[in-house]
Amino acid sequence: MKFRSRIMSTTLFCLSFISSHAQTYDVQKLLEEKKFKLNLPQPYAFDDNESGKKVIGLSGIAWLKGVEFSTGTIEVDLRGQNVFQRSFIGIAFHGIDSAIYDAVYFRPFNFRADDPERKIHAVQYMALPDNDWSKLRKEQNGVYEKGITPAPAATDWFHAKIEVTKDEIIVYVNNSTSASLKVKKLNSRTTGQIALWNEGLDGQFANLVISK
Protein backbone atom coordinates (compact mmCIF):
# COMPACT_ATOMS: atom_id res chain seq x y z
CA MET A 1 0.00 0.00 0.00
CA LYS A 2 2.83 2.41 0.89
CA PHE A 3 4.60 1.53 -2.36
CA ARG A 4 1.44 2.19 -4.35
CA SER A 5 1.00 5.49 -2.50
CA ARG A 6 4.53 6.55 -3.42
CA ILE A 7 3.86 5.71 -7.10
CA MET A 8 0.67 7.75 -7.06
CA SER A 9 2.44 10.71 -5.42
CA THR A 10 5.24 10.58 -7.99
CA THR A 11 2.73 10.38 -10.84
CA LEU A 12 0.76 13.35 -9.54
CA PHE A 13 3.97 15.35 -9.18
CA CYS A 14 4.96 14.58 -12.77
CA LEU A 15 1.52 15.50 -14.08
CA SER A 16 1.60 18.71 -12.08
CA PHE A 17 5.01 19.59 -13.53
CA ILE A 18 3.84 18.89 -17.10
CA SER A 19 0.62 20.86 -16.76
CA SER A 20 2.41 23.85 -15.22
CA HIS A 21 4.91 24.16 -18.09
CA ALA A 22 3.20 27.22 -19.53
CA GLN A 23 4.57 30.66 -20.37
CA THR A 24 2.33 33.71 -20.07
CA TYR A 25 3.27 36.70 -22.22
CA ASP A 26 2.39 40.35 -21.69
CA VAL A 27 1.91 41.36 -25.33
CA GLN A 28 2.42 45.04 -24.51
CA LYS A 29 5.77 44.25 -22.89
CA LEU A 30 6.77 42.13 -25.88
CA LEU A 31 6.02 45.10 -28.12
CA GLU A 32 7.86 47.54 -25.88
CA GLU A 33 10.94 45.29 -25.72
CA LYS A 34 10.89 44.75 -29.50
CA LYS A 35 10.29 41.01 -29.14
CA PHE A 36 8.20 40.89 -32.31
CA LYS A 37 9.57 40.44 -35.80
CA LEU A 38 7.23 42.55 -37.88
CA ASN A 39 6.31 42.76 -41.55
CA LEU A 40 3.51 45.23 -40.94
CA PRO A 41 2.78 48.75 -39.74
CA GLN A 42 3.81 49.33 -36.13
CA PRO A 43 1.27 47.79 -33.72
CA TYR A 44 -0.28 50.00 -31.08
CA ALA A 45 -0.81 49.33 -27.36
CA PHE A 46 -3.58 50.42 -25.03
CA ASP A 47 -5.32 49.35 -21.83
CA ASP A 48 -8.93 48.28 -22.33
CA ASN A 49 -10.51 49.71 -19.18
CA GLU A 50 -13.81 47.91 -19.68
CA SER A 51 -12.26 44.41 -19.76
CA GLY A 52 -9.09 45.17 -17.81
CA LYS A 53 -6.94 43.71 -20.60
CA LYS A 54 -3.54 44.98 -21.67
CA VAL A 55 -3.95 45.01 -25.43
CA ILE A 56 -2.03 45.43 -28.65
CA GLY A 57 -3.72 46.05 -31.99
CA LEU A 58 -2.23 45.21 -35.35
CA SER A 59 -2.83 44.32 -38.96
CA GLY A 60 -0.42 41.75 -40.41
CA ILE A 61 1.83 39.10 -38.86
CA ALA A 62 3.90 39.64 -35.69
CA TRP A 63 6.33 36.75 -35.12
CA LEU A 64 7.62 36.18 -31.58
CA LYS A 65 11.39 36.33 -31.53
CA GLY A 66 13.15 33.38 -29.93
CA VAL A 67 10.03 31.26 -29.41
CA GLU A 68 9.98 27.81 -31.03
CA PHE A 69 6.79 25.76 -30.82
CA SER A 70 6.22 22.10 -31.69
CA THR A 71 3.22 20.61 -29.88
CA GLY A 72 1.16 21.97 -27.01
CA THR A 73 -1.44 24.66 -26.49
CA ILE A 74 -1.69 28.30 -27.52
CA GLU A 75 -4.26 30.47 -25.74
CA VAL A 76 -5.10 34.09 -26.46
CA ASP A 77 -7.86 36.66 -26.10
CA LEU A 78 -8.97 38.16 -29.41
CA ARG A 79 -11.27 40.88 -30.69
CA GLY A 80 -12.08 41.55 -34.33
CA GLN A 81 -14.54 43.78 -36.15
CA ASN A 82 -18.03 43.31 -37.53
CA VAL A 83 -17.24 44.31 -41.11
CA PHE A 84 -18.08 41.76 -43.78
CA GLN A 85 -15.00 40.19 -45.39
CA ARG A 86 -12.67 42.64 -43.65
CA SER A 87 -11.81 41.14 -40.25
CA PHE A 88 -9.69 37.99 -39.90
CA ILE A 89 -7.82 37.32 -36.66
CA GLY A 90 -5.93 34.41 -35.13
CA ILE A 91 -2.60 32.68 -34.49
CA ALA A 92 0.06 31.37 -36.87
CA PHE A 93 2.38 28.54 -35.81
CA HIS A 94 4.99 26.16 -37.23
CA GLY A 95 6.12 29.15 -39.23
CA ILE A 96 9.18 29.17 -41.46
CA ASP A 97 8.54 32.67 -42.78
CA SER A 98 5.58 34.85 -43.70
CA ALA A 99 4.69 32.61 -46.64
CA ILE A 100 5.07 29.18 -44.99
CA TYR A 101 3.09 28.51 -41.81
CA ASP A 102 -0.04 26.97 -40.30
CA ALA A 103 -2.80 29.19 -38.91
CA VAL A 104 -6.02 29.05 -36.99
CA TYR A 105 -8.05 32.19 -37.48
CA PHE A 106 -11.55 33.56 -36.99
CA ARG A 107 -14.02 35.56 -39.06
CA PRO A 108 -15.93 37.56 -36.43
CA PHE A 109 -18.38 38.97 -38.99
CA ASN A 110 -19.64 35.40 -39.50
CA PHE A 111 -20.05 34.47 -35.84
CA ARG A 112 -23.80 35.23 -35.70
CA ALA A 113 -24.58 35.53 -39.39
CA ASP A 114 -28.17 34.81 -40.42
CA ASP A 115 -26.94 33.04 -43.56
CA PRO A 116 -26.21 29.41 -42.53
CA GLU A 117 -23.45 29.12 -45.15
CA ARG A 118 -21.60 32.08 -43.65
CA LYS A 119 -22.17 30.85 -40.12
CA ILE A 120 -20.14 27.67 -40.70
CA HIS A 121 -17.20 29.79 -41.86
CA ALA A 122 -16.45 31.21 -38.40
CA VAL A 123 -13.19 29.42 -37.48
CA GLN A 124 -10.65 28.22 -40.03
CA TYR A 125 -7.50 26.09 -40.08
CA MET A 126 -5.17 26.41 -43.06
CA ALA A 127 -1.58 25.45 -43.89
CA LEU A 128 0.32 27.63 -46.34
CA PRO A 129 1.48 27.55 -49.03
CA ASP A 130 -0.25 24.39 -50.27
CA ASN A 131 -3.57 24.51 -48.43
CA ASP A 132 -5.01 28.00 -48.21
CA TRP A 133 -8.60 28.66 -47.21
CA SER A 134 -9.90 28.94 -50.76
CA LYS A 135 -8.51 25.58 -51.82
CA LEU A 136 -9.83 23.90 -48.68
CA ARG A 137 -13.29 25.41 -49.13
CA LYS A 138 -13.42 24.43 -52.79
CA GLU A 139 -12.25 20.86 -52.24
CA GLN A 140 -13.48 20.09 -48.70
CA ASN A 141 -16.12 22.65 -47.80
CA GLY A 142 -17.13 22.59 -44.14
CA VAL A 143 -14.22 20.36 -43.05
CA TYR A 144 -11.46 22.81 -42.18
CA GLU A 145 -13.82 25.62 -41.20
CA LYS A 146 -16.74 25.43 -38.79
CA GLY A 147 -19.25 27.49 -36.87
CA ILE A 148 -18.98 28.34 -33.17
CA THR A 149 -21.62 27.38 -30.61
CA PRO A 150 -22.43 29.42 -28.65
CA ALA A 151 -21.17 32.17 -30.92
CA PRO A 152 -19.70 35.37 -29.45
CA ALA A 153 -20.86 38.73 -30.74
CA ALA A 154 -18.67 39.94 -33.59
CA THR A 155 -17.10 42.78 -31.60
CA ASP A 156 -16.80 40.99 -28.25
CA TRP A 157 -13.57 39.74 -26.76
CA PHE A 158 -13.36 35.95 -27.00
CA HIS A 159 -10.87 33.39 -25.73
CA ALA A 160 -9.29 30.90 -28.13
CA LYS A 161 -7.49 27.74 -27.07
CA ILE A 162 -5.60 25.98 -29.88
CA GLU A 163 -4.26 22.50 -29.19
CA VAL A 164 -1.57 21.31 -31.58
CA THR A 165 -0.65 17.63 -31.51
CA LYS A 166 1.51 15.64 -33.87
CA ASP A 167 -1.50 14.87 -36.04
CA GLU A 168 -4.39 17.16 -35.09
CA ILE A 169 -5.47 20.75 -34.56
CA ILE A 170 -8.24 21.27 -31.97
CA VAL A 171 -9.83 24.65 -31.23
CA TYR A 172 -11.96 25.65 -28.24
CA VAL A 173 -13.69 29.01 -27.84
CA ASN A 174 -14.56 30.76 -24.57
CA ASN A 175 -13.54 27.79 -22.41
CA SER A 176 -16.14 25.49 -23.94
CA THR A 177 -15.60 21.78 -23.26
CA SER A 178 -16.73 21.04 -26.84
CA ALA A 179 -14.30 21.74 -29.67
CA SER A 180 -15.40 24.21 -32.32
CA LEU A 181 -12.91 22.69 -34.76
CA LYS A 182 -11.02 19.37 -34.77
CA VAL A 183 -9.07 18.48 -37.90
CA LYS A 184 -6.03 16.61 -39.14
CA LYS A 185 -2.84 18.55 -39.72
CA LEU A 186 -2.25 19.28 -43.38
CA ASN A 187 1.53 19.04 -43.57
CA SER A 188 4.57 17.35 -42.06
CA ARG A 189 6.06 20.42 -40.36
CA THR A 190 6.67 19.62 -36.71
CA THR A 191 8.04 22.88 -35.33
CA GLY A 192 8.47 26.56 -36.09
CA GLN A 193 7.70 30.10 -35.06
CA ILE A 194 4.51 31.49 -33.50
CA ALA A 195 2.84 34.75 -34.52
CA LEU A 196 -0.11 36.96 -33.77
CA TRP A 197 -1.93 36.88 -37.11
CA ASN A 198 -4.38 39.42 -38.51
CA GLU A 199 -5.55 40.27 -41.99
CA GLY A 200 -7.65 43.19 -43.13
CA LEU A 201 -8.87 45.63 -40.48
CA ASP A 202 -6.94 45.91 -37.23
CA GLY A 203 -7.46 43.14 -34.70
CA GLN A 204 -6.68 43.17 -30.99
CA PHE A 205 -4.77 40.65 -28.86
CA ALA A 206 -4.25 40.09 -25.12
CA ASN A 207 -3.26 37.42 -22.58
CA LEU A 208 -1.09 35.14 -24.69
CA VAL A 209 -0.22 31.82 -23.02
CA ILE A 210 1.92 29.11 -24.66
CA SER A 211 2.10 25.63 -23.11
CA LYS A 212 4.58 23.07 -24.43
Side-chain angles (χ1 to χ4, degrees), residues 68-84:
E68 190 83 4
F69 178 80
S70 298
T71 59
T73 302
I74 307 164
E75 297 188 63
V76 66
D77 292 335
L78 305 164
R79 183 164 62 181
Q81 300 192 42
N82 190 21
V83 182
F84 182 60

Side-chain angles (χ1 to χ4, degrees), residues 197-208:
W197 185 99
N198 188 78
E199 187 174 292
L201 299 174
D202 289 358
Q204 297 171 0
F205 299 80
N207 299 327
L208 177 65

Side-chain angles (χ1 to χ4, degrees), residues 2-201:
K2 289 183 179 179
F3 179 71
R4 182 180 177 184
S5 178
R6 285 198 296 270
I7 292 176
M8 290 178 67
S9 297
T10 301
T11 302
L12 288 171
F13 173 80
C14 291
L15 288 173
S16 175
F17 176 79
I18 292 170
S19 63
S20 65
H21 189 53
Q23 178 68 51
T24 300
Y25 295 89
D26 180 335
V27 291
Q28 288 186 349
K29 188 173 182 181
L30 290 172
L31 182 61
E32 180 183 336
E33 296 179 351
K34 302 185 185 305
K35 297 295 186 180
F36 287 119
K37 182 170 61 177
L38 306 170
N39 64 333
L40 46 95
Q42 181 66 19
Y44 55 92
F46 68 97
D47 293 343
D48 182 15
N49 294 327
E50 185 175 347
S51 67
K53 300 180 189 299
K54 293 185 175 296
V55 182
I56 64 169
L58 61 87
S59 180
I61 304 177
W63 297 102
L64 276 68
K65 294 180 180 178
V67 177
E68 190 83 4
F69 178 80
S70 298
T71 59
T73 302
I74 307 164
E75 297 188 63
V76 66
D77 292 335
L78 305 164
R79 183 164 62 181
Q81 300 192 42
N82 190 21
V83 182
F84 182 60
Q85 300 288 34
R86 295 291 307 280
S87 181
F88 308 89
I89 185 168
I91 293 289
F93 55 93
H94 292 179
I96 305 303
D97 54 35
S98 292
I100 304 173
Y101 58 83
D102 289 23
V104 168
Y105 70 91
F106 300 84
R107 301 181 181 96
F109 53 86
N110 282 339
F111 284 175
R112 296 185 180 179
D114 293 328
D115 181 349
E117 183 69 16
R118 281 181 53 195
K119 201 167 185 177
I120 66 168
H121 298 158
V123 54
Q124 172 88 51
Y125 164 64
M126 66 177 181
L128 300 182
D130 297 324
N131 291 283
D132 64 10
W133 71 269
S134 59
K135 177 185 176 184
L136 294 172
R137 185 177 295 179
K138 180 179 179 181
E139 297 178 358
Q140 302 183 70
N141 188 32
V143 176
Y144 289 94
E145 53 187 338
K146 297 287 186 181
I148 298 171
T149 303
T155 56
D156 280 356
W157 281 104
F158 64 97
H159 182 78
K161 178 181 178 182
I162 303 165
E163 292 185 359
V164 179
T165 73
K166 179 183 176 182
D167 302 309
E168 289 185 315
I169 309 298
I170 308 167
V171 183
Y172 299 89
V173 175
N174 284 342
N175 301 307
S176 174
T177 56
S178 298
S180 294
L181 183 70
K182 184 176 182 179
V183 292
K184 295 292 185 183
K185 279 187 88 278
L186 287 169
N187 57 69
S188 59
R189 289 191 295 271
T190 58
T191 192
Q193 302 174 77
I194 286 181
L196 308 180
W197 185 99
N198 188 78
E199 187 174 292
L201 299 174

